[in-house]
């Protein structure tokens, strides 16, 4: 079960991202410390060499694109299809994050 504040945190982060508050942060472009652990180094290297992006990252990107498309769409039928796709992607993302939290 996720923390009850996760949706509020996610909304705050999306708002900050839209208003470019993450632009020019100290440490931007440098590796995150928690990803520099030796046990993660092999997985990180393999992912970078093969240009693999985690599923959760792919889903979040696709969700952003779907939300933008929904905002621009005026046809009711196409909007309904986009809303279904968004719902499917949100469910897949939730399942992916739950698995990541549970199994690492």
């Amino acid at each position: 079960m996720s923390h009850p504040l996760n949706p509020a945190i996610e909304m705050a982060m999306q708002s900050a991202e839209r208003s470019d508050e993450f632009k020019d942060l100290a440490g931007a472009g440098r590796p995150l410390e928690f990803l520099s652990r030796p046990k993660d180094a092999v997985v990180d290297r393999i992912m970078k060499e093969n240009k693999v992006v985690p599923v959760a990252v792919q889903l979040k990107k696709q969700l952003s694109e779907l939300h933008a498309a929904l905002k621009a769409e005026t046809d009711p039928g196409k909007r309904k299809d986009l809303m279904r796709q968004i719902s499917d992607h949100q469910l897949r993302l939730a399942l992916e994050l739950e698995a990541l939290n549970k199994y690492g």
Side-chain angles (χ1 to χ4, degrees), residues 18-32:
R18 281 192 299 272
S19 61
D20 285 334
E21 291 180 35
F22 293 133
K23 191 176 181 183
D24 300 325
L25 288 178
R30 287 185 287 194
L32 298 172

Side-chain angles (χ1 to χ4, degrees), residues 88-101:
D88 290 345
H89 278 69
Q90 286 173 332
L91 176 60
R92 288 181 59 207
L93 178 60
L95 292 171
E96 187 67 31
L97 292 175
E98 183 179 339
L100 185 63
N101 288 333

